[in-house]
Amino acid sequence: MCKLRVERSFGFLLAFFLAPCSRFSNSVQMSSSTATEVSATLHVPELIKLSPARLESMLAAGEEALECERVLKKAGLNIVGEILRGQGQFYEYTHYPHDDVCDRESHAQYYYHAHRGIPGEHGHFHTFVRRTGMPEGVTPVPHAEAPAGDEAIAHLIAISMDAYGWPIGLFATNRWVVGETWYPAEDVIQMIDRFTIDHAYPSWPVNRWISAVLRLFRPQIETLVRERDRVVADWGKRYVDVDVLEDRRLDVTGYRLISVEGQLQQLRAALA
């Protein structure tokens, strides 16, 4: 694994210990190329089309995310700094925390790392749900390189973070990027609400924040996951002689800029 040193430090606090889950170790390096251009504008979905119940759920999630940010900022801390505290020297491609974070009840999992060249990005979170946390009826696309059976794991979305430790975007990826089990978009969408990290390791506010962000930006995530399948299908038609899910020329399949405060503003307007 490439370990390129990043000359940037973040704040630290005392760490609380929780027995870590089995690390998702199938991840590999992404190439420097992407299949899609990074969006230059903030993507705001047509919230008016969503049900009041969905809007209320997203609003509650947004307020929780904002509260987590508030308590961290009050102490001079940030989301990324909380993840890196106590982890030693920061290296590109290395998972933080080193054993990943998972919830043994929900079977949700995430880690943070850095290696890509999106302007303004320090690194990103990858979020997952493991097989035992998935809804009934979801069926993976068979693939020789993918974890199978009880080891199956689905990538939901990646959260792009800036150099100050705050969110700037969401993106979806091809299968090989994180070595996941490939599930169709509609199956992945069913898993979004099952992502929750309900414990305090490595940081209670960060775990709450990530869980809330996935609910707050569910419309954008749905769009990105469906777009992922369309991009992969189109790529397969262009390059019929390669395994599209393993093609290193296709890594990021879609990206959207986000703003917690902006999404909350739109939600309040839609519910007014």
Side-chain angles (χ1 to χ4, degrees):
M1 179 177 291
C2 177
K3 291 187 176 181
L4 301 176
R5 182 171 296 180
V6 174
E7 299 297 331
R8 187 176 298 280
S9 61
F10 293 87
F12 296 92
L13 285 177
L14 294 176
F16 294 94
F17 178 78
L18 180 72
C21 57
S22 298
R23 175 176 169 176
F24 180 27
S25 58
N26 289 330
S27 62
V28 293
Q29 299 176 13
M30 273 198 287
S31 70
S32 60
S33 62
T34 59
T36 57
E37 294 184 0
V38 174
S39 173
T41 59
L42 183 69
H43 176 76
V44 179
E46 295 185 64
L47 299 179
I48 194 66
K49 295 181 179 180
L50 301 179
S51 70
R54 172 62 67 184
L55 293 173
E56 292 285 359
S57 175
M58 291 169 60
L59 180 64
E63 290 173 343
E64 181 170 1
L66 209 58
E67 176 65 7
C68 293
E69 294 182 5
R70 183 192 68 80
V71 299
L72 288 172
K73 289 176 181 177
K74 189 174 182 180
L77 304 172
N78 61 70
I79 298 294
V80 173
E82 281 286 274
I83 294 300
L84 299 185
R85 61 186 169 93
Q87 297 292 311
Q89 180 63 55
F90 182 70
Y91 293 100
E92 289 190 343
Y93 293 104
T94 298
H95 289 202
Y96 295 94
H98 297 306
D99 291 316
D100 295 6
V101 178
C102 77
D103 188 306
R104 295 185 182 277
E105 294 180 354
S106 69
H107 305 283
Q109 188 163 338
Y110 76 82
Y111 64 83
Y112 182 83
H113 71 170
H115 59 84
R116 296 179 55 241
I118 290 178
E121 184 191 79
H122 172 269
H124 45 265
F125 290 97
H126 285 292
T127 60
F128 307 87
V129 171
R130 303 193 74 92
R131 178 67 189 95
T132 42
M134 296 177 187
E136 294 293 329
V138 297
T139 305
V141 175
H143 193 278
E145 301 297 324
D150 289 341
E151 297 302 313
I153 184 168
H155 183 249
L156 302 181
I157 205 70
I159 307 171
S160 182
M161 309 294 289
D162 69 14
Y164 300 97
W166 304 110
I168 55 174
L170 300 169
F171 64 91
T173 61
N174 196 2
R175 193 215 74 82
W176 68 268
V177 173
V178 293
E180 66 175 306
T181 311
W182 191 259
Y183 285 85
E186 297 309 316
D187 284 359
V188 175
I189 288 168
Q190 291 185 58
M191 303 176 198
I192 297 171
D193 287 341
R194 292 183 173 241
F195 184 95
T196 183
I197 304 291
D198 186 33
H199 59 66
Y201 174 81
S203 168
W204 177 232
V206 171
N207 291 347
R208 289 179 59 198
W209 180 86
I210 294 176
S211 302
V213 162
L214 264 64
R215 299 195 306 275
L216 171 62
F217 292 105
R218 180 180 173 123
Q220 286 96 331
I221 295 172
E222 290 184 8
T223 296
L224 283 164
V225 173
R226 291 186 176 113
E227 182 179 56
R228 179 204 71 171
D229 281 16
R230 289 194 299 271
V231 168
V232 166
D234 289 345
W235 194 270
K237 293 175 183 176
R238 289 176 60 191
Y239 304 101
V240 296
D241 58 337
V242 299
D243 180 352
V244 62
L245 297 179
E246 293 299 304
D247 193 341
R248 267 51 178 179
R249 293 172 296 178
L250 176 59
D251 51 14
V252 174
T253 59
Y255 184 99
R256 297 293 186 278
L257 296 176
I258 60 169
S259 165
V260 172
E261 294 85 352
Q263 187 91 332
L264 278 170
Q265 182 178 3
Q266 293 293 324
L267 286 165
R268 292 181 180 124
L271 286 165

Short mmCIF file of all heavy atoms in Angstrom, two decimals, residues 55-109:
data_model
loop_
_atom_site.label_atom_id
_atom_site.label_comp_id
_atom_site.label_asym_id
_atom_site.label_seq_id
_atom_site.Cartn_x
_atom_site.Cartn_y
_atom_site.Cartn_z
N LEU A 55 -39.58 14.72 4.19
CA LEU A 55 -38.99 16.03 4.43
C LEU A 55 -38.72 16.24 5.92
O LEU A 55 -37.67 16.76 6.30
CB LEU A 55 -39.91 17.13 3.90
CG LEU A 55 -40.09 17.18 2.38
CD1 LEU A 55 -41.16 18.22 2.02
CD2 LEU A 55 -38.78 17.52 1.68
N GLU A 56 -39.67 15.84 6.76
CA GLU A 56 -39.49 15.97 8.21
C GLU A 56 -38.32 15.12 8.69
O GLU A 56 -37.55 15.54 9.56
CB GLU A 56 -40.78 15.58 8.94
CG GLU A 56 -41.95 16.53 8.73
CD GLU A 56 -41.80 17.83 9.52
OE1 GLU A 56 -40.79 17.98 10.26
OE2 GLU A 56 -42.70 18.68 9.40
N SER A 57 -38.21 13.91 8.15
CA SER A 57 -37.10 13.03 8.53
C SER A 57 -35.76 13.64 8.13
O SER A 57 -34.79 13.62 8.90
CB SER A 57 -37.27 11.67 7.86
OG SER A 57 -36.16 10.84 8.11
N MET A 58 -35.69 14.20 6.92
CA MET A 58 -34.46 14.84 6.46
C MET A 58 -34.15 16.07 7.29
O MET A 58 -32.98 16.32 7.63
CB MET A 58 -34.60 15.21 4.99
CG MET A 58 -34.64 14.02 4.04
SD MET A 58 -35.11 14.51 2.35
CE MET A 58 -33.79 15.66 1.95
N LEU A 59 -35.18 16.85 7.65
CA LEU A 59 -34.97 18.04 8.47
C LEU A 59 -34.40 17.67 9.83
O LEU A 59 -33.45 18.30 10.31
CB LEU A 59 -36.29 18.80 8.63
CG LEU A 59 -36.23 20.08 9.48
CD1 LEU A 59 -35.34 21.12 8.81
CD2 LEU A 59 -37.63 20.64 9.69
N ALA A 60 -34.95 16.64 10.45
CA ALA A 60 -34.45 16.19 11.75
C ALA A 60 -33.00 15.74 11.65
O ALA A 60 -32.17 16.03 12.52
CB ALA A 60 -35.33 15.06 12.29
N ALA A 61 -32.67 15.04 10.55
CA ALA A 61 -31.30 14.59 10.34
C ALA A 61 -30.36 15.78 10.16
O ALA A 61 -29.25 15.80 10.69
CB ALA A 61 -31.23 13.67 9.14
N GLY A 62 -30.81 16.77 9.40
CA GLY A 62 -29.99 17.95 9.18
C GLY A 62 -29.73 18.72 10.46
O GLY A 62 -28.62 19.21 10.69
N GLU A 63 -30.75 18.84 11.29
CA GLU A 63 -30.58 19.53 12.56
C GLU A 63 -29.63 18.77 13.47
O GLU A 63 -28.85 19.38 14.21
CB GLU A 63 -31.94 19.73 13.22
CG GLU A 63 -32.80 20.76 12.47
CD GLU A 63 -34.22 20.86 13.00
OE1 GLU A 63 -34.64 19.92 13.72
OE2 GLU A 63 -34.90 21.87 12.70
N GLU A 64 -29.68 17.44 13.41
CA GLU A 64 -28.75 16.64 14.21
C GLU A 64 -27.32 16.82 13.70
O GLU A 64 -26.39 16.99 14.48
CB GLU A 64 -29.13 15.16 14.17
CG GLU A 64 -28.21 14.29 14.99
CD GLU A 64 -28.70 12.87 15.16
OE1 GLU A 64 -29.78 12.54 14.63
OE2 GLU A 64 -28.01 12.09 15.84
N ALA A 65 -27.13 16.81 12.37
CA ALA A 65 -25.80 17.02 11.81
C ALA A 65 -25.26 18.39 12.20
O ALA A 65 -24.08 18.52 12.57
CB ALA A 65 -25.86 16.88 10.29
N LEU A 66 -26.11 19.40 12.14
CA LEU A 66 -25.69 20.75 12.49
C LEU A 66 -25.33 20.85 13.96
O LEU A 66 -24.37 21.53 14.34
CB LEU A 66 -26.81 21.74 12.14
CG LEU A 66 -26.39 23.17 11.79
CD1 LEU A 66 -25.44 23.17 10.59
CD2 LEU A 66 -27.60 24.01 11.51
N GLU A 67 -26.07 20.14 14.82
CA GLU A 67 -25.77 20.14 16.25
C GLU A 67 -24.43 19.47 16.52
O GLU A 67 -23.64 19.94 17.37
CB GLU A 67 -26.89 19.42 17.02
CG GLU A 67 -26.64 19.27 18.51
CD GLU A 67 -26.61 20.60 19.27
OE1 GLU A 67 -26.89 21.65 18.67
OE2 GLU A 67 -26.30 20.56 20.48
N CYS A 68 -24.14 18.39 15.82
CA CYS A 68 -22.84 17.73 15.97
C CYS A 68 -21.71 18.67 15.56
O CYS A 68 -20.67 18.73 16.23
CB CYS A 68 -22.80 16.45 15.14
SG CYS A 68 -23.91 15.15 15.71
N GLU A 69 -21.91 19.40 14.48
CA GLU A 69 -20.91 20.36 14.04
C GLU A 69 -20.74 21.48 15.07
O GLU A 69 -19.63 21.93 15.34
CB GLU A 69 -21.30 20.94 12.68
CG GLU A 69 -21.27 19.91 11.55
CD GLU A 69 -21.62 20.51 10.20
OE1 GLU A 69 -21.80 21.75 10.13
OE2 GLU A 69 -21.71 19.74 9.22
N ARG A 70 -21.86 21.90 15.67
CA ARG A 70 -21.81 23.00 16.64
C ARG A 70 -20.97 22.64 17.85
O ARG A 70 -20.11 23.43 18.27
CB ARG A 70 -23.23 23.36 17.10
CG ARG A 70 -23.28 24.55 18.05
CD ARG A 70 -24.64 24.70 18.70
NE ARG A 70 -24.93 23.61 19.63
CZ ARG A 70 -24.46 23.55 20.89
NH1 ARG A 70 -23.68 24.51 21.35
NH2 ARG A 70 -24.78 22.53 21.67
N VAL A 71 -21.18 21.44 18.42
CA VAL A 71 -20.45 21.08 19.63
C VAL A 71 -18.97 20.88 19.34
O VAL A 71 -18.12 21.15 20.20
CB VAL A 71 -21.06 19.84 20.31
CG1 VAL A 71 -22.51 20.12 20.72
CG2 VAL A 71 -20.98 18.60 19.43
N LEU A 72 -18.65 20.43 18.13
CA LEU A 72 -17.24 20.28 17.78
C LEU A 72 -16.59 21.65 17.60
O LEU A 72 -15.50 21.91 18.12
CB LEU A 72 -17.09 19.46 16.50
CG LEU A 72 -17.39 17.96 16.63
CD1 LEU A 72 -17.39 17.29 15.26
CD2 LEU A 72 -16.38 17.27 17.54
N LYS A 73 -17.26 22.54 16.88
CA LYS A 73 -16.71 23.87 16.65
C LYS A 73 -16.54 24.64 17.96
O LYS A 73 -15.58 25.40 18.12
CB LYS A 73 -17.62 24.66 15.70
CG LYS A 73 -17.60 24.16 14.27
CD LYS A 73 -18.60 24.91 13.40
CE LYS A 73 -18.59 24.40 11.96
NZ LYS A 73 -19.61 25.08 11.12
N LYS A 74 -17.44 24.41 18.91
CA LYS A 74 -17.36 25.09 20.20
C LYS A 74 -16.07 24.76 20.93
O LYS A 74 -15.53 25.58 21.68
CB LYS A 74 -18.57 24.72 21.05
CG LYS A 74 -18.71 25.52 22.33
CD LYS A 74 -20.01 25.19 23.05
CE LYS A 74 -20.19 26.02 24.30
NZ LYS A 74 -21.46 25.70 24.99
N ALA A 75 -15.56 23.56 20.69
CA ALA A 75 -14.31 23.13 21.32
C ALA A 75 -13.11 23.30 20.40
O ALA A 75 -12.01 22.82 20.70
CB ALA A 75 -14.43 21.67 21.75
N GLY A 76 -13.31 23.97 19.24
CA GLY A 76 -12.22 24.17 18.30
C GLY A 76 -11.85 22.91 17.54
O GLY A 76 -10.71 22.76 17.10
N LEU A 77 -12.81 22.00 17.38
CA LEU A 77 -12.57 20.71 16.73
C LEU A 77 -13.32 20.63 15.40
O LEU A 77 -14.08 21.53 15.05
CB LEU A 77 -13.00 19.57 17.66
CG LEU A 77 -12.35 19.56 19.05
CD1 LEU A 77 -13.00 18.50 19.93
CD2 LEU A 77 -10.86 19.33 18.94
N ASN A 78 -13.10 19.54 14.66
CA ASN A 78 -13.80 19.32 13.41
C ASN A 78 -13.98 17.84 13.17
O ASN A 78 -13.42 17.00 13.89
CB ASN A 78 -13.05 19.98 12.24
CG ASN A 78 -11.65 19.41 12.06
OD1 ASN A 78 -11.49 18.27 11.64
ND2 ASN A 78 -10.64 20.22 12.39
N ILE A 79 -14.77 17.47 12.16
CA ILE A 79 -15.12 16.07 11.90
C ILE A 79 -13.88 15.23 11.62
O ILE A 79 -13.66 14.18 12.22
CB ILE A 79 -16.10 15.98 10.71
CG1 ILE A 79 -17.42 16.71 11.02
CG2 ILE A 79 -16.35 14.51 10.35
CD1 ILE A 79 -18.23 16.10 12.13
N VAL A 80 -13.03 15.67 10.70
CA VAL A 80 -11.86 14.89 10.31
C VAL A 80 -10.86 14.80 11.46
O VAL A 80 -10.28 13.73 11.71
CB VAL A 80 -11.20 15.48 9.06
CG1 VAL A 80 -9.88 14.77 8.74
CG2 VAL A 80 -12.15 15.36 7.87
N GLY A 81 -10.64 15.89 12.17
CA GLY A 81 -9.73 15.87 13.30
C GLY A 81 -10.11 14.84 14.35
O GLY A 81 -9.25 14.20 14.97
N GLU A 82 -11.41 14.66 14.57
CA GLU A 82 -11.89 13.66 15.53
C GLU A 82 -11.51 12.24 15.09
O GLU A 82 -11.18 11.39 15.91
CB GLU A 82 -13.41 13.75 15.66
CG GLU A 82 -13.89 14.88 16.54
CD GLU A 82 -13.66 14.57 18.01
OE1 GLU A 82 -14.50 13.92 18.63
OE2 GLU A 82 -12.59 14.96 18.52
N ILE A 83 -11.56 11.99 13.78
CA ILE A 83 -11.22 10.67 13.27
C ILE A 83 -9.71 10.41 13.34
O ILE A 83 -9.27 9.28 13.59
CB ILE A 83 -11.71 10.52 11.82
CG1 ILE A 83 -13.24 10.54 11.78
CG2 ILE A 83 -11.19 9.24 11.17
CD1 ILE A 83 -13.90 9.43 12.57
N LEU A 84 -8.91 11.45 13.15
CA LEU A 84 -7.45 11.28 13.10
C LEU A 84 -6.79 11.33 14.47
O LEU A 84 -5.62 10.95 14.60
CB LEU A 84 -6.83 12.35 12.21
CG LEU A 84 -7.27 12.35 10.74
CD1 LEU A 84 -6.49 13.39 9.96
CD2 LEU A 84 -7.13 10.98 10.12
N ARG A 85 -7.50 11.76 15.50
CA ARG A 85 -6.88 11.88 16.82
C ARG A 85 -6.39 10.52 17.32
O ARG A 85 -7.08 9.52 17.22
CB ARG A 85 -7.85 12.49 17.83
CG ARG A 85 -9.12 11.70 18.08
CD ARG A 85 -10.09 12.48 18.97
NE ARG A 85 -11.40 11.86 19.02
CZ ARG A 85 -11.78 10.99 19.93
NH1 ARG A 85 -10.93 10.62 20.87
NH2 ARG A 85 -13.00 10.48 19.90
N GLY A 86 -5.19 10.51 17.83
CA GLY A 86 -4.63 9.30 18.39
C GLY A 86 -4.21 8.26 17.38
O GLY A 86 -3.83 7.14 17.75
N GLN A 87 -4.22 8.59 16.09
CA GLN A 87 -3.92 7.62 15.04
C GLN A 87 -2.48 7.71 14.52
O GLN A 87 -2.10 6.97 13.62
CB GLN A 87 -4.88 7.79 13.86
CG GLN A 87 -6.34 7.55 14.22
CD GLN A 87 -6.61 6.09 14.54
OE1 GLN A 87 -6.22 5.20 13.79
NE2 GLN A 87 -7.28 5.83 15.65
N GLY A 88 -1.69 8.62 15.09
CA GLY A 88 -0.31 8.75 14.66
C GLY A 88 -0.18 9.54 13.38
O GLY A 88 -1.09 10.27 12.98
N GLN A 89 0.96 9.38 12.69
CA GLN A 89 1.22 10.10 11.46
C GLN A 89 0.16 9.76 10.40
O GLN A 89 -0.25 8.61 10.26
CB GLN A 89 2.60 9.73 10.91
CG GLN A 89 2.96 10.43 9.63
CD GLN A 89 3.06 11.93 9.78
OE1 GLN A 89 3.79 12.43 10.64
NE2 GLN A 89 2.32 12.67 8.97
N PHE A 90 -0.30 10.79 9.69
CA PHE A 90 -1.32 10.58 8.67
C PHE A 90 -0.67 10.25 7.33
O PHE A 90 0.19 10.98 6.85
CB PHE A 90 -2.18 11.84 8.53
CG PHE A 90 -3.29 11.70 7.52
CD1 PHE A 90 -4.37 10.87 7.79
CD2 PHE A 90 -3.26 12.38 6.31
CE1 PHE A 90 -5.40 10.74 6.86
CE2 PHE A 90 -4.27 12.26 5.39
CZ PHE A 90 -5.35 11.42 5.66
N TYR A 91 -1.09 9.13 6.73
CA TYR A 91 -0.60 8.70 5.43
C TYR A 91 -1.75 8.54 4.45
O TYR A 91 -2.83 8.06 4.83
CB TYR A 91 0.15 7.36 5.53
CG TYR A 91 1.44 7.41 6.30
CD1 TYR A 91 1.49 6.99 7.62
CD2 TYR A 91 2.61 7.87 5.70
CE1 TYR A 91 2.68 7.02 8.33
CE2 TYR A 91 3.81 7.91 6.40
CZ TYR A 91 3.83 7.49 7.72
OH TYR A 91 5.01 7.53 8.42
N GLU A 92 -1.50 8.90 3.21
CA GLU A 92 -2.49 8.65 2.18
C GLU A 92 -2.70 7.15 2.02
O GLU A 92 -1.78 6.35 2.25
CB GLU A 92 -2.06 9.26 0.85
CG GLU A 92 -2.13 10.79 0.85
CD GLU A 92 -1.93 11.38 -0.54
OE1 GLU A 92 -1.42 10.65 -1.41
OE2 GLU A 92 -2.27 12.54 -0.73
N TYR A 93 -3.91 6.78 1.65
CA TYR A 93 -4.36 5.40 1.40
C TYR A 93 -4.60 4.59 2.68
O TYR A 93 -5.22 3.53 2.62
CB TYR A 93 -3.39 4.63 0.48
CG TYR A 93 -3.34 5.16 -0.91
CD1 TYR A 93 -2.25 5.93 -1.34
CD2 TYR A 93 -4.36 4.93 -1.81
CE1 TYR A 93 -2.21 6.44 -2.63
CE2 TYR A 93 -4.32 5.43 -3.10
CZ TYR A 93 -3.24 6.18 -3.50
OH TYR A 93 -3.19 6.68 -4.76
N THR A 94 -4.12 5.04 3.82
CA THR A 94 -4.33 4.31 5.06
C THR A 94 -5.73 4.58 5.60
O THR A 94 -6.23 5.70 5.54
CB THR A 94 -3.28 4.74 6.11
OG1 THR A 94 -1.99 4.40 5.62
CG2 THR A 94 -3.51 4.04 7.45
N HIS A 95 -6.38 3.53 6.15
CA HIS A 95 -7.70 3.69 6.75
C HIS A 95 -7.59 4.36 8.12
O HIS A 95 -6.71 4.02 8.91
CB HIS A 95 -8.36 2.33 6.94
CG HIS A 95 -8.80 1.67 5.69
ND1 HIS A 95 -9.77 0.69 5.66
CD2 HIS A 95 -8.40 1.83 4.40
CE1 HIS A 95 -9.94 0.27 4.41
NE2 HIS A 95 -9.12 0.95 3.63
N TYR A 96 -8.51 5.25 8.40
CA TYR A 96 -8.62 5.88 9.73
C TYR A 96 -10.06 5.81 10.20
O TYR A 96 -10.96 6.19 9.44
CB TYR A 96 -8.14 7.34 9.67
CG TYR A 96 -6.67 7.44 9.35
CD1 TYR A 96 -6.25 7.61 8.03
CD2 TYR A 96 -5.71 7.32 10.35
CE1 TYR A 96 -4.90 7.67 7.72
CE2 TYR A 96 -4.35 7.39 10.04
CZ TYR A 96 -3.96 7.56 8.73
OH TYR A 96 -2.63 7.62 8.42
N PRO A 97 -10.27 5.29 11.45
CA PRO A 97 -9.30 4.60 12.29
C PRO A 97 -8.74 3.37 11.57
O PRO A 97 -9.35 2.87 10.62
CB PRO A 97 -10.10 4.19 13.52
CG PRO A 97 -11.34 5.01 13.50
CD PRO A 97 -11.61 5.31 12.06
N HIS A 98 -7.63 2.86 12.05
CA HIS A 98 -6.92 1.80 11.35
C HIS A 98 -7.74 0.52 11.20
O HIS A 98 -7.53 -0.24 10.26
CB HIS A 98 -5.60 1.50 12.04
CG HIS A 98 -4.66 2.68 12.04
ND1 HIS A 98 -4.29 3.34 10.89
CD2 HIS A 98 -4.04 3.34 13.06
CE1 HIS A 98 -3.48 4.34 11.19
NE2 HIS A 98 -3.31 4.37 12.50
N ASP A 99 -8.65 0.26 12.12
CA ASP A 99 -9.50 -0.93 12.05
C ASP A 99 -10.90 -0.63 11.54
O ASP A 99 -11.80 -1.46 11.68
CB ASP A 99 -9.60 -1.60 13.43
CG ASP A 99 -8.27 -2.21 13.86
OD1 ASP A 99 -7.63 -2.86 13.01
OD2 ASP A 99 -7.88 -2.04 15.02
N ASP A 100 -11.11 0.55 10.96
CA ASP A 100 -12.43 0.99 10.50
C ASP A 100 -13.37 1.16 11.71
O ASP A 100 -13.02 0.86 12.84
CB ASP A 100 -13.05 0.03 9.49
CG ASP A 100 -12.27 -0.04 8.19
OD1 ASP A 100 -11.18 0.56 8.11
OD2 ASP A 100 -12.73 -0.72 7.26
N VAL A 101 -14.54 1.65 11.45
CA VAL A 101 -15.58 1.81 12.48
C VAL A 101 -16.80 1.02 12.04
O VAL A 101 -17.24 1.15 10.90
CB VAL A 101 -15.97 3.30 12.66
CG1 VAL A 101 -17.09 3.43 13.70
CG2 VAL A 101 -14.76 4.13 13.06
N CYS A 102 -17.33 0.18 12.92
CA CYS A 102 -18.56 -0.52 12.58
C CYS A 102 -19.45 -0.64 13.80
O CYS A 102 -19.00 -0.52 14.94
CB CYS A 102 -18.29 -1.90 11.99
SG CYS A 102 -17.85 -3.14 13.18
N ASP A 103 -20.72 -0.82 13.54
CA ASP A 103 -21.72 -1.03 14.57
C ASP A 103 -22.15 -2.49 14.49
O ASP A 103 -22.67 -2.93 13.46
CB ASP A 103 -22.91 -0.10 14.34
CG ASP A 103 -23.91 -0.12 15.48
OD1 ASP A 103 -24.38 -1.24 15.83
OD2 ASP A 103 -24.25 0.95 16.00
N ARG A 104 -21.95 -3.24 15.55
CA ARG A 104 -22.21 -4.67 15.52
C ARG A 104 -23.70 -5.00 15.55
O ARG A 104 -24.08 -6.15 15.37
CB ARG A 104 -21.49 -5.37 16.68
CG ARG A 104 -19.98 -5.29 16.56
CD ARG A 104 -19.28 -6.09 17.64
NE ARG A 104 -17.84 -5.96 17.52
CZ ARG A 104 -17.07 -6.67 16.70
NH1 ARG A 104 -17.64 -7.56 15.90
NH2 ARG A 104 -15.77 -6.50 16.66
N GLU A 105 -24.55 -4.00 15.78
CA GLU A 105 -25.99 -4.22 15.73
C GLU A 105 -26.56 -3.88 14.36
O GLU A 105 -27.33 -4.64 13.78
CB GLU A 105 -26.68 -3.41 16.82
CG GLU A 105 -26.34 -3.88 18.23
CD GLU A 105 -27.05 -3.06 19.29
OE1 GLU A 105 -27.72 -2.06 18.94
OE2 GLU A 105 -26.92 -3.41 20.49
N SER A 106 -26.19 -2.72 13.82
CA SER A 106 -26.71 -2.32 12.50
C SER A 106 -25.87 -2.89 11.36
O SER A 106 -26.33 -2.97 10.23
CB SER A 106 -26.72 -0.79 12.39
OG SER A 106 -25.39 -0.28 12.34
N HIS A 107 -24.61 -3.26 11.66
CA HIS A 107 -23.66 -3.77 10.66
C HIS A 107 -23.30 -2.71 9.62
O HIS A 107 -22.94 -3.03 8.49
CB HIS A 107 -24.19 -5.05 10.01
CG HIS A 107 -24.53 -6.11 11.00
ND1 HIS A 107 -23.58 -6.88 11.62
CD2 HIS A 107 -25.73 -6.48 11.53
CE1 HIS A 107 -24.17 -7.71 12.47
NE2 HIS A 107 -25.46 -7.47 12.45
N ALA A 108 -23.41 -1.44 10.05
CA ALA A 108 -22.91 -0.33 9.24
C ALA A 108 -21.41 -0.18 9.50
O ALA A 108 -20.91 -0.56 10.57
CB ALA A 108 -23.64 0.95 9.60
N GLN A 109 -20.70 0.38 8.54
CA GLN A 109 -19.24 0.48 8.65
C GLN A 109 -18.75 1.68 7.85
O GLN A 109 -19.34 2.05 6.83
CB GLN A 109 -18.60 -0.80 8.12
CG GLN A 109 -17.10 -0.91 8.35
CD GLN A 109 -16.59 -2.33 8.20
OE1 GLN A 109 -17.35 -3.29 8.31
NE2 GLN A 109 -15.31 -2.48 7.95
#
